Amino acid sequence: MKGTEVKNQQTLNDIKTRELLSMLRKIALPIALQSLIGSSLSLIDNLMVGSLGELQLNAVGVSVQIFFVYWMLLYGISGGAATFISQFYGVGDFKNIRRTTGFTLTIAMGIGLLFFIAAEAFPQYILRIFTKFPEVIEEGCSYVRIGAPTFLMLAVTQPFTIALRATQQTRLPLYASAVALATNTGLNYLLIFGKLGLPALGVDGAALATSIARLLEMGLTPGAAVMLRKRAPLGDPLELSLRGYELSLRTADAQYIEVEVGRTC
């Protein structure tokens, strides 16, 4: 009798282990890959600009430090929000998911706006924090100015990415980031070196390519809810009410994930 109970318990443990591994494969692996891809855009810039010369490489390497500081701030804020969103999702509290996501979006946009204004208005003073070489600062200023809109784009993308991750929609942000990485790599090649009749913009081309890729990612991440039609009849998956400052996304089980910024009317 005891042998049968032990065998049943062992079978139960094996099933739970397989379920856990399956869950990790479906949730944790896409999150890890998406994080890796998201942080690789600046690396692609460095690798491709490096062939232009030491000055250009140093300029981009110093300039991306500003974006790295911003990314760390954004990652910390959204990471904290993900903890609450996942807890609310576990108990089916979609109202507080909306509030948490909206609060995260508001804070991220506020910080992003500050970085955007500083990068556009006086990038030379910011770059002086990281280097004292005037030629590197001069070369890096245009990169920072052209890439400044990505501060605002990431402020939109990251809260939605976190909301999708915390509600177990992990593949959709991964696909959006993969498209952004491919776009950035292709445009870098075209704009940095002037291929297919395009002008060779060098460092400016790298910044422009990254901005376009981030813009595409920003459009795909909230729009990823459209793809959930395959799993449930969602009706209109994306609802935007400017009057109420409310942005709604439906999850795969036809529940709403809404973002409330300010007060809804």
Side-chain angles (χ1 to χ4, degrees):
M1 191 71 177
K2 283 186 176 181
T4 304
E5 290 180 356
V6 170
K7 186 176 181 180
N8 290 338
Q9 184 64 38
Q10 181 65 36
T11 303
L12 209 58
N13 290 337
D14 291 341
I15 293 174
K16 290 181 178 179
T17 301
R18 287 198 298 269
E19 291 177 350
L20 176 61
L21 291 176
S22 177
M23 185 69 70
L24 288 174
R25 178 175 57 84
K26 292 178 180 178
I27 296 178
L29 184 58
I31 290 176
L33 289 175
Q34 196 266 333
S35 298
L36 177 63
I37 292 173
S39 60
S40 297
L41 266 67
S42 297
L43 176 62
I44 296 296
D45 287 353
N46 279 303
L47 290 176
M48 300 189 77
V49 168
S51 61
L52 297 178
E54 185 177 348
L55 174 60
Q56 288 79 7
L57 177 61
N58 288 336
V60 173
V62 169
S63 299
V64 297
Q65 297 302 313
I66 304 171
F67 298 91
F68 179 75
V69 171
Y70 175 70
W71 176 258
M72 289 294 100
L73 287 172
L74 206 58
Y75 188 82
I77 294 169
S78 57
T83 304
F84 291 101
I85 293 174
S86 59
Q87 292 176 352
F88 294 140
Y89 183 73
V91 297
D93 188 353
F94 290 94
K95 183 176 181 180
N96 278 319
I97 288 178
R98 297 194 296 269
R99 290 178 175 176
T100 305
T101 308
F103 178 76
T104 307
L105 181 62
T106 304
I107 296 298
M109 283 298 294
I111 296 175
L113 186 60
L114 290 176
F115 272 78
F116 172 76
I117 293 173
E120 288 287 355
F122 38 83
Q124 64 275 17
Y125 297 109
I126 302 175
L127 290 174
R128 285 176 185 172
I129 300 174
F130 303 101
T131 183
K132 297 180 180 179
F133 297 101
E135 61 275 10
V136 174
I137 294 174
E138 182 180 356
E139 189 75 22
C141 279
S142 60
Y143 182 94
V144 174
R145 282 199 173 100
I146 296 173
T150 61
F151 292 127
L152 302 178
M153 299 171 194
L154 283 172
V156 175
T157 303
Q158 190 64 12
F160 280 110
T161 297
I162 289 299
L164 288 169
R165 284 180 179 179
T167 54
Q168 300 183 9
Q169 307 296 329
T170 56
R171 293 187 180 183
L172 302 178
L174 172 62
Y175 297 152
S177 292
V179 170
L181 179 64
T183 301
N184 184 56
T185 304
L187 289 179
N188 267 348
Y189 176 74
L190 296 176
L191 296 175
I192 292 175
F193 306 110
K195 302 298 182 178
L196 297 180
L198 295 174
L201 300 178
V203 172
D204 293 352
L208 182 59
T210 301
S211 296
I212 295 173
R214 289 298 188 188
L215 179 62
L216 181 60
E217 184 183 28
M218 184 185 70
L220 289 175
T221 303
V226 176
M227 299 175 63
L228 298 177
R229 286 179 182 270
K230 299 177 182 179
R231 299 177 59 182
L234 304 180
D236 184 12
L238 183 62
E239 300 173 356
L240 177 62
S241 170
L242 296 177
R243 182 183 176 189
Y245 302 96
E246 183 178 285
L247 183 59
S248 306
L249 299 177
R250 290 180 186 250
T251 62
D253 55 357
Q255 296 284 348
Y256 274 112
I257 296 179
E258 299 176 355
V259 177
E260 298 176 352
V261 184
R263 298 179 60 183
T264 58
C265 300

